[in-house]
Amino acid sequence: MRYSLRILSILLVCVCLSIMAAAQQVISGKVTGAADSTGLPGVNISVPGAGSGAITDANGRYKLQLPANAATLHFSFLGYEPQTVPIGGRSIVNITLQAASKGLGEVVVVGYGVQNRRDVTGTISSLKGADIKNLPVSDAAQAMQGRVSGVDIVRSDGQPGSTPNIRIRGTGTINNSEPLIIVDGVPAGGLSDINPNDIASMEVLKDASSSAIYGTRAANGVIIITTKKGNYGEKLKASVNVYKGITNTIRYVPLLEAPDLAMLKRERYTNDGKPVDPVWQDAYYATQRTDWQRALLRSGQITNADVNLRGGNSTSNYLFSAGYYDEKGIVENTWFKRYTARVNSEHKLGKRLKVGENLQLTYRQSQGFDTYSAQTGLIFSALRFNPAIPVLNPDGSYGSSQASNELGDVNNPLFTAQTTDNTEKNYRLLANVYAELQLLDGLTLRANYGYDGNIINQSSFVPKVLDQTRTRDHAELWKRNETNGAELSEIFLTYNKIFSQKHHITFTGGYSQQTFRGDYFRAERWGLSDESPDVRILDNGNSIRDASGNFKPQSAIASGFVRGFYGFMDKYLLTVTFRADGSSRFAPDNRWGYFPAFSAGWRVSDERFFKDHVRFVSNLKITGGWGQLGNQNVTEFQYLSPVNSDKRYTIGGQSLNGIWNSRLPNPYITWEKAEMTNISMEAGFFDNKLNAVITWFNKNTKDMLVPAAAMDLHGTAAIPDQNIGQLNNRGWEVELSYQGGKKDFHYNIAANASFIKNEVTKLYEANSFISATRYGRQSQEISRTYEGQPLASFYGWKTNGIYQTLEEINSDPNITKDPNKANIKPGDVRFLDLNGDGVVNDNDRTNLGSPNPKVTYGIQMSAGYKRFDLSLSFAGVGGVKLYNADRMSGTDPNAPFNMYAEMLQRWHGPGTSNSIPRMTLSSVNQNNRVSDRFVESGDYFSLRNVALGYTLPASAWGRSGISDVRVYVAAQNLFVLTSYSGLTPMLGFNGTTDGNRQRGVDVAAYPQARTFTFGASINF
């Protein structure tokens, strides 16, 4: 009986399994893309109304068990239009997905993941690697200029390899305002080590909603770099890119030639009733011999070559690239070289686990000079050195100004450039390894370890100098070594699921920790007996002048973060983000900061009432958001009082070394916080051929760390910063683009503009200010930051022309009570008495203009006809003032240097000039003090890049394996339209330690260059 029951049970189970098998149909197929018919990996296949689903493999294939009532399949993939198809009794269903309209289906990289462009509720701008490929720039930041709204690229120095400053939605603090740079998930510090041709995409996170997941380091915006990678199932492909170019100076400053210079120098003595110095009576110094600008500023060269190998199979993909960039600057003996190598790969270990790595090695070398000093700056010297002096004397020695103090105390600039050695070498490793495990359908766990390490070696040599004005009786050599390392550990979960085809939920949450370590040393010796380049080592120096070194302060950041996205019917969108950050830079009670943000979106164009009545608008989305961000990028550990051991004390008549506190502590110091609100509208017209994005934003920086107000204290200890400042940046961003053309001809036009108002809203008390580095040999104050004014505004005297006669001086109400009135002469500058007390003094100084642009804009145009392609990129700024400090120095007749050619238009009698004062040796009226005479418009419009290319077909190469070759010619900075009189209007921040306290001051820094290149891209 038992045996019979067992047989019956087995039969019943078999019947049930047969019924279930009949009810659960197995279906399979392949999903391909319409563009090239290749399989699409990672496509989500779901059964509406059921919980079952599948994802395509590396070749686009899938297999799925269906419930009995299944009637349709739903296919969705980021970047492609979703599709629902009936099953109709089939066991094989193959479909082709169409790419979504540009700008809507595009995938963008966000913090700790990716998102479909149509679902983004924050403000994110994207730039593809193809847009900046093969531009003749050493830094990807330079390639961004004019291409992204709200992003201002400020290159203070045109020296090869110099790194531009990046400002996103204005300068957000008086401290470090650089955005956070993320490369393949690792905070990278900057862009100078990345080969621009390795970049696949750049995403700029501009608002709080998109940036808040990075918390404490996101107050100044975030730039996410994604490098190129191979594809699963892709055969080995290779590409080689090479270009060669020449660079030259865009413009020169008109200077006096020797005869005119000698004439004006003599005129000074005549005007002052003094005998002329003999050097200006000597015909030798009235003979033109050297144009020092053209002697120093030469033609430079650029060479670039890089190779890229990529491919993959069903379980692995890989990319290897190597690059070489070599730039010889337009200034004698300045250069920059970079060698890069990259390995990116990813591997599937089973169905649920992926591992991979992104590895970048960089080696940089550079040689440069100081071009900021008003004492020894190289460009300054070229603009001031006497034009009667030759580069080389007949005996082969360098020309010199030693003959007379009247010739000035700067050295021959070619001597400085050709005998000084100032090199830097940088070795850098930027790497991360990761593992990603699919726990459940739609739920993944990712662990990431990153490392950013670099070693910096600097060496500076200056020779013994006996035959120049600035002599040195010994050679000097110093060397410096610095190492830095940052380790990143992260683990986070991502859940991404669509329910009932209406509810889209994405959740990301995790933990991050980063630690920073470093050390440095510096050693210097004087008196090298042999100055030959191959024996410039410290052991050859006679005396030790410096030997110092230490560990850098170690610091760490620990963070927890979470972001949730919810979309209902793809029409109503909500994103909520929160991050908690703890930083060792601050006191234990103030280490943790909490940064929330949210944003919402409404896709109006998906509403039935809109679709039925507004046919020409194909996309309309309105978004808005608010959030708080942090900035910890300030001087660390100001809550402590450092102890130094280098203090000299005298006790009982004996000199002893002792310790001292070099800074007072501030135990309350904490984060700077940025609070941002923005509202945006995205619109697409005529099937998204015409697209527009308009955004309003308002960013308030609170608890800004500023130098403590001066206190009535005695001693030498520094005063720590305090969290008391507030700064506001608000404005509009506008982006427009149009794509058109048919068949063989296509074109694209895009334009963007950002309108920003910058204002310091709180700073100490009324009439208090923060000053900046003073300029020149007279130590003149140019910039101040006041409450109620823009950051780093120019500050000085207002003027009203030139006194023409003695009667004008006697009747001028500005100086009725001025004790200096008797010393003022016709031909002197008329300064204005703004407070009405009849005296022109320090109390009459005022705001002279803002160096912060009111508008930055760019225009990009591209077109293709058959195998020809043309692209142009324009950039410009408006509503900005610059202070020409070099012109202030170069038009001072009291200085013993060459002068600007405009001095020929000086006042030399009533009616001869109302803008350029008389020639005099006297400085009693301080005609060349800081004033509006040297404030100029800094507006410019430039053709940043233009390229014309032609692609040769594969048939031209037979069976060589070459698929195509594109040859092209290109130019950068082809023209710059501006009224500014200096070498370049593209001025940035002071090259000292001023941070953001001074901007737009022309100190004769290294000028920008014009570049012409010819190149080729070969694909195999």
Side-chain angles (χ1 to χ4, degrees), residues 102-346:
K102 182 175 175 60
L104 298 180
E106 179 184 3
V107 176
V108 296
V109 179
V110 295
Y112 301 98
V114 297
Q115 194 171 16
N116 196 313
R117 168 68 74 181
R118 64 183 287 119
D119 294 333
V120 171
T121 56
T123 308
I124 301 176
S125 293
S126 298
L127 186 65
K128 299 306 179 186
D131 297 329
I132 62 173
K133 183 178 179 181
N134 287 329
L135 293 180
V137 293
S138 61
D139 192 299
Q142 299 174 46
M144 293 175 65
Q145 188 167 14
R147 297 177 184 269
V148 181
S149 68
V151 178
D152 185 17
I153 307 299
V154 185
R155 195 180 187 196
S156 304
D157 192 340
Q159 201 144 205
S162 64
T163 302
N165 299 112
I166 305 174
R167 296 292 178 265
I168 297 177
R169 289 186 171 175
T171 301
T173 172
I174 201 168
N175 299 297
N176 191 319
S177 293
E178 293 299 306
L180 174 65
I181 307 294
I182 305 290
V183 179
D184 291 328
V186 181
L191 296 172
S192 59
D193 291 308
I194 302 171
N195 181 354
N197 285 345
D198 279 346
I199 295 175
S201 68
M202 304 171 68
E203 266 74 33
V204 183
L205 315 186
K206 296 184 283 189
D207 72 320
S209 174
S210 58
S211 303
I213 200 164
Y214 290 109
T216 174
R217 295 184 284 185
N220 301 308
V222 182
I223 298 177
I224 300 178
I225 306 293
T226 304
T227 60
K228 296 175 180 177
K229 296 173 174 59
N231 297 313
Y232 288 106
E234 180 182 38
K235 294 181 179 180
L236 174 63
K237 293 183 179 179
S239 63
V240 178
N241 303 298
V242 293
Y243 64 77
K244 182 80 173 181
I246 59 171
T247 60
N248 54 47
T249 305
I250 298 176
R251 66 196 306 188
Y252 297 92
V253 173
L255 301 175
L256 291 172
E257 293 192 345
D260 292 327
L261 177 63
M263 180 268 292
L264 292 180
K265 294 289 188 180
R266 292 192 297 269
E267 188 175 301
R268 297 179 307 165
Y269 290 92
T270 302
N271 288 345
D272 292 351
K274 297 179 179 181
V276 177
D277 189 282
V279 71
W280 303 119
Q281 304 283 21
D282 188 341
Y284 182 89
Y285 292 102
T287 302
Q288 177 72 17
R289 291 183 177 83
T290 309
D291 182 329
W292 288 103
Q293 286 184 94
R294 287 172 171 79
L296 182 68
L297 301 175
R298 60 177 191 178
S299 291
Q301 294 183 4
I302 291 180
T303 303
N304 181 86
D306 56 79
V307 61
N308 177 305
L309 302 173
R310 65 191 183 277
N313 54 29
S314 61
T315 59
S316 297
N317 65 51
Y318 60 88
L319 175 138
F320 169 78
S321 71
Y324 169 72
Y325 180 88
D326 181 6
E327 179 178 355
K328 294 178 174 61
I330 58 174
V331 171
E332 177 84 14
N333 204 22
T334 59
W335 48 267
F336 171 78
K337 293 181 180 180
R338 182 183 60 216
Y339 305 83
T340 60
R342 172 172 292 279
V343 178
N344 294 345
S345 71
E346 186 176 85

Side-chain angles (χ1 to χ4, degrees), residues 22-167:
Q24 291 190 332
Q25 175 188 356
V26 176
I27 194 167
S28 61
K30 184 176 182 179
V31 183
T32 57
D36 53 11
S37 298
T38 58
L40 296 176
V43 177
N44 191 310
I45 303 102
S46 60
V47 180
S52 58
I55 295 177
T56 58
D57 64 15
N59 298 312
R61 299 188 180 279
Y62 71 94
K63 181 180 289 187
L64 176 65
Q65 276 196 331
L66 300 178
N69 58 348
T72 59
L73 292 176
H74 182 73
F75 298 83
S76 61
F77 188 49
L78 291 177
Y80 290 81
E81 297 288 357
Q83 191 174 148
T84 301
V85 299
I87 298 173
R90 292 178 292 173
S91 61
I92 297 177
V93 176
N94 297 323
I95 71 159
T96 298
L97 293 183
Q98 299 287 338
S101 300
K102 182 175 175 60
L104 298 180
E106 179 184 3
V107 176
V108 296
V109 179
V110 295
Y112 301 98
V114 297
Q115 194 171 16
N116 196 313
R117 168 68 74 181
R118 64 183 287 119
D119 294 333
V120 171
T121 56
T123 308
I124 301 176
S125 293
S126 298
L127 186 65
K128 299 306 179 186
D131 297 329
I132 62 173
K133 183 178 179 181
N134 287 329
L135 293 180
V137 293
S138 61
D139 192 299
Q142 299 174 46
M144 293 175 65
Q145 188 167 14
R147 297 177 184 269
V148 181
S149 68
V151 178
D152 185 17
I153 307 299
V154 185
R155 195 180 187 196
S156 304
D157 192 340
Q159 201 144 205
S162 64
T163 302
N165 299 112
I166 305 174
R167 296 292 178 265

Side-chain angles (χ1 to χ4, degrees), residues 433-656:
V433 293
Y434 61 89
E436 186 173 289
L437 177 65
Q438 184 178 359
L439 301 174
L440 299 170
D441 183 25
L443 179 64
T444 59
L445 174 68
R446 184 180 176 106
N448 181 45
Y449 172 81
Y451 181 77
D452 183 9
N454 71 328
I455 301 173
I456 302 171
N457 291 325
Q458 284 184 287
S459 176
S460 179
F461 169 82
V462 289
K464 178 168 59 178
V465 181
L466 300 177
D467 56 357
Q468 295 291 312
T469 303
R470 288 179 175 263
T471 59
R472 188 184 304 110
D473 62 4
H474 58 272
E476 299 177 8
L477 174 68
W478 66 259
K479 291 183 178 291
R480 175 176 172 268
N481 178 270
E482 178 181 340
T483 62
N484 299 287
E487 293 185 72
L488 174 73
S489 300
E490 294 179 324
I491 186 167
F492 57 95
L493 282 167
T494 300
Y495 180 69
N496 185 19
K497 197 73 173 178
I498 298 176
F499 298 94
S500 302
Q501 300 186 51
K502 293 182 179 180
H503 308 280
H504 184 186
I505 295 175
T506 303
F507 171 86
T508 302
Y511 173 81
S512 175
Q513 177 177 305
Q514 191 169 20
T515 58
F516 305 87
R517 296 180 177 87
D519 60 71
Y520 65 92
F521 77 82
R522 184 183 189 278
E524 181 176 357
R525 279 199 171 195
W526 288 7
L528 279 72
S529 56
D530 187 344
E531 299 183 6
S532 302
D534 55 347
V535 291
R536 291 175 183 172
I537 56 176
L538 289 172
D539 279 353
N540 282 347
N542 295 328
S543 61
I544 298 175
R545 303 297 300 181
D546 178 42
S548 59
N550 205 340
F551 291 106
K552 287 189 170 184
Q554 297 185 15
S555 61
I557 300 175
S559 312
F561 55 89
V562 61
R563 178 180 60 219
F565 166 80
Y566 172 70
F568 178 66
M569 298 180 67
D570 281 342
K571 291 190 293 186
Y572 312 108
L573 314 170
L574 176 66
T575 303
V576 179
T577 308
F578 181 81
R579 179 158 176 148
D581 277 322
S583 173
S584 64
R585 288 172 176 252
F586 305 109
D589 291 341
N590 296 313
R591 282 182 177 170
W592 284 92
Y594 304 96
F595 306 101
F598 71 87
S599 59
W602 177 28
R603 187 173 301 287
V604 183
S605 55
D606 282 6
E607 298 286 2
R608 177 58 60 188
F609 72 84
F610 192 90
K611 289 181 178 180
D612 292 343
H613 297 90
V614 188
R615 301 294 178 85
F616 68 95
V617 179
S618 43
N619 171 52
L620 179 61
K621 184 173 73 171
I622 298 173
T623 62
W626 172 92
Q628 289 184 340
L629 306 168
N631 180 32
Q632 68 126 28
N633 209 359
V634 296
T635 303
E636 66 270 10
F637 306 118
Q638 293 192 68
Y639 69 93
L640 299 173
S641 181
V643 176
N644 289 19
S645 59
D646 58 354
K647 195 71 172 178
R648 301 287 293 179
Y649 294 91
T650 302
I651 300 176
Q654 184 178 3
S655 180
L656 301 171

Side-chain angles (χ1 to χ4, degrees), residues 972-984:
Q972 185 187 38
N973 289 330
L974 191 59
F975 65 76
V976 180
L977 303 179
T978 182
S979 63
Y980 182 66
S981 64
L983 286 171
T984 175

